[in-house]
Structure formats: C-alpha cells, structure tokens
Amino acid sequence: MVREEVGDKCFCILIDEARDISKREQMTNILRFVNNNGILTERFFAIKSVSDTTSLNLKKEISNVLVHYDLQVKKIKGQGYDGASNMYGEWNVFQTLFLRDCPYVYYVHCFAHRLQLTLVSAAKDVSVIWEFFYHLDNIVNIVTSSTKRIAELHIVQRNEIEHMLAIGERDSGSGANQIGNLQQAGATR
C-alpha cells in the first residue's frame, strides 16, 4: 500500500527509537511524501526491534526496511529525528551516514520533541509544577521498587476499570482498558 502511494516520488523519513514495556529497543519508521492529489501525507510503515542502537546499525535497519518496501534510498529528500547523540551530528551518526548516500537530504529536528523540551524548560521556572514532578518521581520510585506494591497497584487499577465499566463510564473492546505500569517522568516523557 505505501509503495503504491509513494510511486517514484521523493519522500522523507521520520525515525524515532524508544524502549518498549519489555525493555526492548524499538525503531519506528514514518514516511512523509506528497500524494497524487498534492496532499502532504505521513504513513507509519514499520516498527523494528533493534538490539544495537548505534548509528551504523540503525542506518542498516532503516535501509533494510526501505528495501523491503522497494523504496530507493536515493529518493530520500528529508530526514527527521530527535537530538539523540546517535541520530544527529556530524561525526559518524545516522544523519551523516544518510548524507553520504544522499548529499542533498535536509535534516529537521523532531518538532514534538522540541516542544516537549521547551515545556520542560518553562516548567522548571514554575515551582508548583516542578514540585509536582519531584513528588511524582518519589511516588514512582517507591511503588516500582517493590513487586508487592506493583501488584497492589494493578489490583487497584483492575478494580477501578471494572467499576467504570459497570457504571458505563468506559467502553469495552479489544485493546481497551489495559492495566499499565508506572514510568519515571523525564525530560521527554
């Protein structure tokens, strides 16, 4: 489907990597292109588990994904990712590795990531917000340091979901109402 939409047109790649709940590194690949109607289109086209997040391995993995979809690397005209040290810079990083194959590819820093960092920076000057996240970090540390407390949290979540389903405040369905885990707050979370 994606291959037919892109055709022989140029495209941009948007890449992000993150660790999933099972602590495996995942690389998300999004394709950005102008469709046949002249509309800028973004399509999620792959997610890959990667054990090695070095820039060289990430380039190899994205190149493999492009080959799988029969998309030519030389058709890349733009690349976008966050500012992680293995992604952006001039010394043997992901961006530079693609520039060797496509010397006219431009780079755009991920705007969502940039906005998040701006909000974090602005929040540091608001003591109420800063104290909230300080206390939230302490609560997460206390709960996640004990398997008993995690189990208790899951029981409370399950009971709350069952109650909300019973009174009609939540809908049921495939993938809905899953019990989550706590994660530490961070500059990009």
Side-chain angles (χ1 to χ4, degrees), residues 119-160:
L119 291 173
V120 168
S121 179
K124 286 181 181 177
D125 295 333
V126 181
S127 62
V128 176
I129 295 172
W130 195 245
E131 287 175 29
F132 169 78
F133 283 106
Y134 173 78
H135 292 301
L136 181 63
D137 274 343
N138 286 335
I139 292 168
V140 170
N141 285 336
I142 290 167
V143 172
T144 59
S145 65
S146 164
T147 55
K148 287 181 182 178
R149 286 190 284 261
I150 291 172
E152 289 176 26
L153 175 65
H154 286 172
I155 290 168
V156 170
Q157 286 178 320
R158 186 175 295 110
N159 291 342
E160 180 68 16

Side-chain angles (χ1 to χ4, degrees), residues 23-84:
K23 309 272 192 251
R24 290 181 309 181
E25 289 290 333
Q26 303 284 335
M27 181 174 65
T28 306
N29 305 279
I30 296 173
L31 208 62
R32 185 176 225 195
F33 58 95
V34 177
N35 70 16
N36 291 332
N37 297 322
I39 298 170
L40 182 62
T41 305
E42 286 185 2
R43 291 282 184 255
F44 166 82
F45 73 105
I47 189 164
K48 270 305 258 181
S49 287
V50 289
S51 57
D52 176 6
T53 59
T54 61
S55 54
L56 197 57
N57 188 61
L58 292 176
K59 183 191 185 276
K60 182 186 79 151
E61 293 292 344
I62 188 63
S63 294
N64 289 343
V65 169
L66 292 172
V67 166
H68 175 76
Y69 284 92
D70 193 28
L71 296 166
Q72 297 176 16
V73 172
K74 69 180 183 180
K75 292 283 189 173
I76 298 173
K77 296 301 176 204
Q79 48 185 334
Y81 1 90
D82 63 18

